[in-house]
Amino acid sequence: MTDGQMLLAVFVLLYLIECLRLVPSTAWMASGTGKSGWRSLRPWMRLQIGNGSPLLLSPLPPMQAHALALPWVFVPDHDSLRVRLTDSMSIHIAWDKLTPRAEETTLHLDVTTRVRLPSKNLAELWQQRLTEWRGLTPDQRHSAFLKHARSTLDTKAAAKAATEAAQRTRSLRVLATIHCLWCFGVISVLYHRFGDSVAVLAAAGVLLLLQFIQSWLFLRSTRKSHIAIPYRRWRALGIAFLPQLAMRAFDVVNLTTDAEPPHPLAWRGLLDEKRWLEHARQFWRESRYVPGWPLNESLPLEAEALQKFFRHEGIAEDDYDPPAAAKLPTCPRCGAEFQSGITACSDCGGVELRQPAA
Ligand SMILES: [Zn+2]
């Protein structure tokens, strides 16, 4: 490997590191540019760092804007609070053991449990909200949760926030695309052909010029921003001199927000409808089919909130909870089929199977 190739490899590595974000393990990210056709991304939940998980933002040009969503992390049960740590893991904390305390973006819930939230502001908001919930009666908690659920399932607001974020970073992203192609395409081709030469030096000069423009665009687009970007001027200096910061400057603008993130299902219209429906079914199955479901008279709280939302959106029950067509007992939660005679799915913590119609 020549020095030039080595340098390029280092740049690629630095760039990919810049595309990584530490997010809550349950978070969802949408990437896209327009009013629809966004794609959803998930973090690597197996990797737990600082109470969160790393997520790789779309790294390839043309650069995409990003928006974050968060499923309901805190759900009140009768005598405890259920905390969703990952997609498949939740824990219960008894109300009298709950001592919420925000520390930067981390919310401490009791002596051992900590959850990462997308922003410091949100950690403080949840500290306040959970302290409030702790003092309420079960019925009041029930309505408080439904109110929270309703506000996070506003499809119009979620689409508006995402498209506005994309709009706000449009010029930053266009320049980042040119910059990325120049850095990893044009310069490497020139270097491959001419080696250490004036042409490569001139191309590097153009790269620096692009970074200066990017830095100015960044300062301009964040000048009137209602969210204070931490170390804004230092960051602008970094953007001017470090290619990887220049290429991802728009992420800082898009992802620095104090607003409460929507539920991922609020992205209806933003995501492809078929994809969205798959997500809707999964959220429904996981909230509806809990151990004891055939006997429970009322829906679990999360399922109740989702059912209200689906009705409001005009989605038929058969669409979000398609009837089983199998001839064998089937787990309504994970869809696995079992031999006749088996009544519960052990993978799903003992969820009762749906028996085929005789
Ligand atoms: Zn199952």
Side-chain angles (χ1 to χ4, degrees):
M1 216 185 223
T2 64
D3 288 353
Q5 285 168 333
M6 188 67 141
L7 194 64
L8 188 74
V10 170
F11 272 150
V12 171
L13 190 70
L14 288 174
Y15 174 70
L16 287 176
I17 292 174
E18 196 55 33
C19 294
L20 279 176
R21 280 288 178 288
L22 200 58
V23 296
S25 303
T26 51
W28 289 58
M29 193 73 82
S31 74
T33 52
K35 285 203 152 87
S36 61
W38 288 53
R39 212 159 57 82
S40 60
L41 309 168
R42 297 302 313 277
W44 297 319
M45 244 164 284
R46 279 157 199 255
L47 216 63
Q48 294 276 324
I49 309 166
N51 312 305
S53 297
L55 180 141
L56 186 70
L57 301 169
S58 306
L60 297 176
M63 300 303 179
Q64 317 262 309
H66 291 91
L68 186 103
L70 201 62
W72 301 317
V73 179
F74 308 105
V75 184
D77 270 348
H78 191 80
D79 41 11
S80 62
L81 177 75
R82 185 153 58 79
V83 183
R84 192 196 301 259
L85 299 176
T86 66
D87 282 2
S88 54
M89 193 165 66
S90 294
I91 57 154
H92 288 260
I93 299 174
W95 288 109
D96 53 0
K97 294 274 188 306
L98 184 71
T99 48
R101 180 172 59 82
E103 188 187 339
E104 289 296 311
T105 58
T106 302
L107 187 63
H108 298 254
L109 294 162
D110 62 5
V111 187
T112 51
T113 318
R114 281 169 298 178
V115 174
R116 188 186 188 87
L117 288 164
S119 68
K120 186 172 172 236
N121 190 52
L122 206 64
E124 281 163 7
L125 177 82
W126 273 108
Q127 171 188 326
Q128 202 185 0
R129 200 177 271 164
L130 291 178
T131 311
E132 227 170 84
W133 284 8
R134 191 179 52 190
L136 300 178
T137 64
D139 277 350
Q140 288 170 324
R141 282 180 203 137
H142 189 102
S143 1
F145 175 81
L146 288 181
K147 190 174 156 217
H148 160 62
R150 212 169 38 241
S151 74
T152 55
L153 278 171
D154 186 337
T155 51
K156 279 209 188 87
K160 189 164 165 250
T163 42
E164 274 180 5
Q167 203 65 40
R168 203 162 46 237
T169 52
R170 204 167 153 265
S171 38
L172 278 170
R173 285 184 292 110
V174 169
L175 193 64
T177 303
I178 298 169
H179 186 234
C180 185
L181 294 174
W182 192 268
C183 181
F184 297 122
V186 176
I187 293 188
S188 22
V189 169
L190 285 179
Y191 182 78
H192 186 71
R193 280 199 62 179
F194 304 111
D196 296 321
S197 64
V198 181
V200 175
L201 206 64
V206 172
L207 194 73
L208 196 63
L209 182 68
L210 289 174
Q211 285 166 210
F212 286 163
I213 302 173
Q214 192 75 312
S215 176
W216 173 74
L217 279 178
F218 172 78
L219 282 174
R220 201 188 63 164
S221 70
T222 52
R223 193 179 48 208
K224 282 179 288 182
S225 170
H226 52 290
I227 305 296
I229 296 204
Y231 311 112
R232 178 172 159 265
R233 297 220 166 124
W234 284 109
R235 211 176 275 271
L237 197 65
I239 291 168
F241 291 101
L242 300 171
Q244 74 274 24
L245 294 192
M247 281 179 231
R248 304 304 299 192
F250 61 92
D251 286 334
V252 180
V253 182
N254 275 164
L255 295 175
T256 308
T257 164
D258 273 351
E260 177 145 44
H263 187 282
L265 290 185
W267 285 338
R268 186 177 187 212
L270 208 59
L271 302 181
D272 169 56
E273 181 71 11
K274 224 172 115 192
R275 223 359 107 65
W276 178 86
L277 198 59
E278 278 170 30
H279 299 323
R281 284 178 188 162
Q282 189 172 350
F283 274 109
W284 172 255
R285 284 196 301 263
E286 285 170 6
S287 61
R288 167 70 183 97
Y289 297 108
V290 295
W293 70 271
L295 301 170
N296 292 346
E297 275 166 28
S298 57
L299 287 175
L301 183 52
E302 264 184 289
E304 186 184 332
L306 285 178
Q307 191 184 53
K308 283 201 167 92
F309 168 64
F310 292 145
R311 281 186 185 157
H312 181 259
E313 291 286 307
I315 298 160
E317 190 174 347
D318 282 359
D319 284 336
Y320 64 83
D321 196 353
K327 299 221 164 22
L328 292 167
T330 312
C331 172
R333 190 179 170 103
C334 69
E337 290 184 7
F338 292 81
Q339 287 173 345
S340 335
I342 296 178
T343 55
C345 174
S346 53
D347 283 349
C348 297
V351 167
E352 292 81 353
L353 302 183
R354 197 184 250 154
Q355 300 298 330

